[in-house]
Each structure stands twice: as structure tokens, then as C-alpha cells.
């Protein structure tokens, strides 16, 4: 990212930029900043953007050979085309002797670093990965946005916000905008504000469902299941998330017994650090045998669906009934 900012600052641009990675918010933000700098205040006459799978690469290469009209350069953007994942040999070949007045910007979430296109782009231009941000970076970013609005938030409330939004920066930004409007006449964002404005993610509802299952509260567990279906979550996805959750609890129990601290557990589990305490608390409510039994129940429910012995909706209901028996 610093390399792109340096190019923008010095106005010294490469022939091709590859912006890839799972963090959609940063990817698009740097795409916009780069394109704006490349246009350098000019109009969009020399700017072409192709999105999606249906694009004419041969036509774009022909366009790239065309001199820009009353401008220093032509900009061609390929976004979400999949060219970084598969194909791209034609463009890779072209990049060995590209037109010096055309800059290519390739933007996608997935990328095959072994492909000829990526290797060519890495050789002749800049390849920048926008990975999911870690907990510390997200908190620093959120606190910066809150400070700009002259507001404050406690550490616990910030954790609650991130639990509800997850690590996706686009989602966090949208939820913050809602909170800023909701607390317009106040300088402090409270836990009650977050609970009132930011809906819990599906994983949060799965947490609540597993809590209800652990407490043998069948009614609450089934109510939460019905809520998820009302939100149009497919029963098969709910089943997958229940199974994944019990698997994480089993791993948490094992890591806890080995004496790992919260940070090490977060790394091993692949979950945010602020969520570890909830996994530890919940794992403590189950024995190892209960967790293994729950996982086996998920496997059997999935098998029953795939073999057509029962419907997906009924299979998950029966699983919840068994786990709360």
C-alpha cells in the first residue's frame, strides 16, 4: 500500500497495478485513489473499466495501443473479471512490450501467484495484497474514525461493535455511520447504542443458539433457528455454522488444556482476539464428550439431508431437539 501512495506522491507510475486480496474496502479505496491520480484532473475520455466475466480482452489490448486523447496516459481497469485466478496468458504476453502511455489496473479478490499474468505484473509493475486486517489494526482504524467525529467509545463497547460487525471494513464503516447519526447529539457511543443500532451477525446468533443448547433451553434454541430462517439463511448453512462452532469449541477446550494464552488461541483458531473469551466461556459449559457428540450429530444430520432421508429444515430441527434433550 505504501508503494502505491509513493507512486501517487511522486507521480511516477508503473505500467500495471494488481490490487488483490479479501479486504474489499481497502482494495476499492486504493483503486479509486490510484485512478484519480492517474487521470490527474482530466476527464474520463481516456478511462475504460471492464467488470465481470464478459469482457473483450483482445479489444482492450487494441485500445491499449491507442494513444490517449489530449492526455498523458490511458487507464484500463479490469475488476472482478477472474483474470488473476485463471487465464491471462494473452495479457501476460502483451505486458512484455506494452504501450508506454497505457496503465493497467487489475482489481480482484482472488489471485493465483503462480500464473504467468501475476509473474509478469510483478516483474513490470506493482502487485499489492489487501488482506483481512488484524484486530489491532481494525481497532486503531475505528478509533481514528470515531475521533474524527469528536466522539468517544470504551474498550468494551468497541469489542461489542466488532463482535457484531466482524472484521469486514465495509460493514464496520456502514455501522459506524449509523452510530454517528444515532448519537448525533452526544459525544459518547455506549453499549446500548451498539445493541440498538447494529444487528448481530449470523455468527452471533449461532453463539446464542449454542448457549441455549448448552442450557438445554429447547424453546430458545428453536426460536433462534426460526429467526435465522426468517432472515433467509438456508438450513444447510445454519447446520454448517453449528458444526463449525462446535468444532471451534472443541479446539478451544484442547488449547485451553495446553495452557495457551488468548493471543495464541486466537491465532490457532483463526478468530479475532476479542472473541476468544466467549469461546472459552462457552467451551467451559460442555464436556469434551458432549462436544464430540454434538459434532457427530451435525455429521449425521448432514448425511441424512444429502441422502434424501429427510428435508434440510426438519433435519436441523431434529438435531436441535436431540442436543437439548
Amino acid at each position: 500500500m505504501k508503494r502505491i501512495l509513493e507512486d501517487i506522491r511522486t507521480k511516477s507510475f508503473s505500467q500495471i497495478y494488481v490490487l488483490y486480496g479479501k479486504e474489499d474496502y481497502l482494495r476499492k479505496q486504493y483503486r479509486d485513489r490510484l485512478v484519480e491520480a492517474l487521470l490527474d484532473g482530466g476527464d474520463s475520455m481516456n478511462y475504460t473499466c471492464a467488470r465481470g466475466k464478459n469482457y473483450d480482452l483482445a479489444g482492450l489490448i487494441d485500445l491499449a495501443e491507442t494513444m490517449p486523447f489530449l492526455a498523458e496516459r490511458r487507464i484500463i481497469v479490469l475488476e472482478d473479471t477472474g483474470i488473476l485466478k485463471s487465464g491471462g496468458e494473452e495479457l501476460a504476453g502483451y505486458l512484455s512490450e506494452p504501450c508506454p502511455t497505457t496503465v493497467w489496473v487489475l482489481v480482484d479478490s482472488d489471485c493465483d501467484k503462480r500464473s504467468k499474468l501475476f509473474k509478469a505484473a510483478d516483474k513490470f509493475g506493482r502487485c499489492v495484497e489487501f488482506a483481512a486486517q488484524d484486530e489491532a489494526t481494525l481497532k486503531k482504524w475505528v478509533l481514528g474514525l470515531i475521533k474524527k467525529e469528536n466522539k468517544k467509545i470504551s474498550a468494551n463497547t468497541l469489542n461489542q461493535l466488532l463482535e457484531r460487525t466482524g472484521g469486514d471494513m465495509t460493514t464496520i464503516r456502514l455501522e459506524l455511520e449509523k452510530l454517528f447519526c444515532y448519537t448525533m447529539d452526544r459525544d459518547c457511543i455506549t453499549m446500548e447504542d451498539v445493541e440498538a443500532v447494529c444487528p448481530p451477525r449470523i455468527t452471533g446468533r449461532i453463539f446464542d443458539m449454542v448457549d441455549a443448547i448448552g442450557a438445554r433451553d429447547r424453546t430458545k434454541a428453536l426460536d433462534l433457528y426460526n429467526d435465522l430462517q426468517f432472515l433467509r439463511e438456508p438450513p444447510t448453512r445454519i447446520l454448517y455454522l453449528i458444526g463449525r462452532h462446535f468444532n471451534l469449541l472443541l479446539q478451544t477446550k484442547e488449547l485451553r488444556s495446553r495452557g495457551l494464552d488468548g493471543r495464541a488461541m486466537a491465532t490457532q483458531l483463526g478468530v479475532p482476539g476479542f472473541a476468544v473469551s466467549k469461546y472459552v466461556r462457552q467451551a467451559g459449559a460442555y464436556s469434551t464428550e458432549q462436544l464430540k457428540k454434538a459434532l457427530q450429530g451435525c455429521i449425521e444430520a448432514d448425511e441424512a439431508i444429502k441422502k434424501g432421508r429427510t428435508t434440510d429444515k426438519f433435519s436441523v430441527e431434529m438435531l436441535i431437539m436431540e442436543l437439548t434433550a
Side-chain angles (χ1 to χ4, degrees):
M1 288 182 275
K2 290 180 180 178
R3 295 161 67 190
I4 293 179
L5 293 177
E6 180 64 16
D7 287 357
I8 291 173
R9 186 185 69 80
T10 60
K11 295 186 181 297
S12 176
F13 298 105
S14 298
Q15 292 275 200
I16 181 168
Y17 289 86
V18 171
L19 314 182
Y20 68 100
K22 299 299 182 184
E23 184 43 70
D24 184 67
Y25 179 86
L26 286 178
R27 218 172 55 240
K28 291 181 177 178
Q29 186 182 64
Y30 275 79
R31 173 206 63 193
D32 293 344
R33 294 176 73 170
L34 180 59
V35 168
E36 183 181 0
L38 287 166
L39 288 172
D40 196 24
D43 57 34
S44 59
M45 183 175 294
N46 297 295
Y47 170 75
T48 303
C49 181
R51 289 188 173 90
K53 306 295 182 183
N54 296 320
Y55 63 98
D56 179 11
L57 182 58
L60 290 172
I61 290 176
D62 286 342
L63 179 63
E65 289 293 303
T66 306
M67 293 295 291
F69 182 72
L70 298 177
E72 186 178 346
R73 64 184 68 88
R74 180 178 298 282
I75 303 102
I76 298 177
V77 177
L78 292 178
E79 186 164 13
D80 298 329
T81 61
I83 195 171
L84 292 170
K85 187 70 174 175
S86 60
E89 287 83 1
E90 185 180 358
L91 182 56
Y94 170 76
L95 288 174
S96 61
E97 294 184 25
C99 176
T101 56
T102 297
V103 176
W104 294 79
V105 182
L106 277 52
V107 187
D108 220 319
S109 58
D110 293 323
C111 178
D112 184 356
K113 295 181 181 180
R114 301 166 300 178
S115 69
K116 290 181 180 179
L117 177 56
F118 184 88
K119 291 176 180 177
D122 198 33
K123 180 179 180 180
F124 299 111
R126 297 203 185 281
C127 298
V128 182
E129 181 177 9
F130 296 89
Q133 301 298 288
D134 60 31
E135 179 188 350
T137 304
L138 284 176
K139 285 185 174 181
K140 183 178 179 180
W141 174 65
V142 171
L143 289 172
L145 293 174
I146 291 173
K147 186 177 180 180
K148 283 183 180 179
E149 296 293 324
N150 296 315
K151 294 184 183 294
K152 299 176 182 178
I153 190 170
S154 70
N156 287 337
T157 304
L158 177 56
N159 285 340
Q160 175 74 349
L161 172 63
L162 293 178
E163 282 182 19
R164 291 194 167 223
T165 58
D168 180 72
M169 295 178 76
T170 301
T171 303
I172 295 171
R173 194 72 177 87
L174 291 172
E175 294 304 314
L176 278 174
E177 290 296 335
K178 287 158 60 177
L179 281 168
F180 293 153
C181 292
Y182 189 74
T183 61
M184 189 174 293
D185 58 342
R186 290 184 281 118
D187 63 357
C188 186
I189 298 172
T190 66
M191 191 80 77
E192 290 74 18
D193 296 329
V194 172
E195 290 175 354
V197 173
C198 307
R201 295 181 300 153
I202 179 174
T203 49
R205 293 177 186 269
I206 296 293
F207 255 114
D208 293 340
M209 185 187 295
V210 173
D211 265 340
I213 290 170
R216 302 296 187 270
D217 190 340
R218 179 177 294 171
T219 301
K220 184 176 180 181
L222 288 172
D223 283 345
L224 286 165
Y225 176 50
N226 290 328
D227 287 347
L228 289 169
Q229 287 186 93
F230 181 75
L231 294 173
R232 297 187 177 181
E233 286 292 340
T236 49
R237 173 167 164 74
I238 297 170
L239 176 59
Y240 161 76
L241 289 171
I242 293 173
R244 176 181 178 277
H245 194 89
F246 275 115
N247 187 38
L248 284 170
L249 294 184
L250 187 60
Q251 292 180 58
T252 300
K253 208 167 188 66
E254 167 64 20
L255 294 173
R256 183 75 167 171
S257 69
R258 286 159 48 188
L260 271 68
D261 62 18
R263 181 174 296 180
M265 289 174 69
T267 302
Q268 290 276 349
L269 295 170
V271 301
F274 54 78
V276 169
S277 60
K278 291 184 72 174
Y279 282 103
V280 170
R281 173 189 61 77
Q282 207 166 65
Y286 290 87
S287 68
T288 300
E289 288 305 313
Q290 286 174 323
L291 291 172
K292 288 181 178 179
K293 183 180 178 181
L295 272 173
Q296 184 59 37
C298 292
I299 293 170
E300 291 172 358
D302 183 59
E303 184 181 356
I305 294 168
K306 289 177 177 176
K307 291 189 175 181
R309 294 200 298 266
T310 182
T311 64
D312 52 3
K313 181 178 184 297
F314 182 70
S315 186
V316 179
E317 285 179 354
M318 287 303 298
L319 173 65
I320 294 171
M321 297 280 281
E322 290 170 8
L323 294 177
T324 54

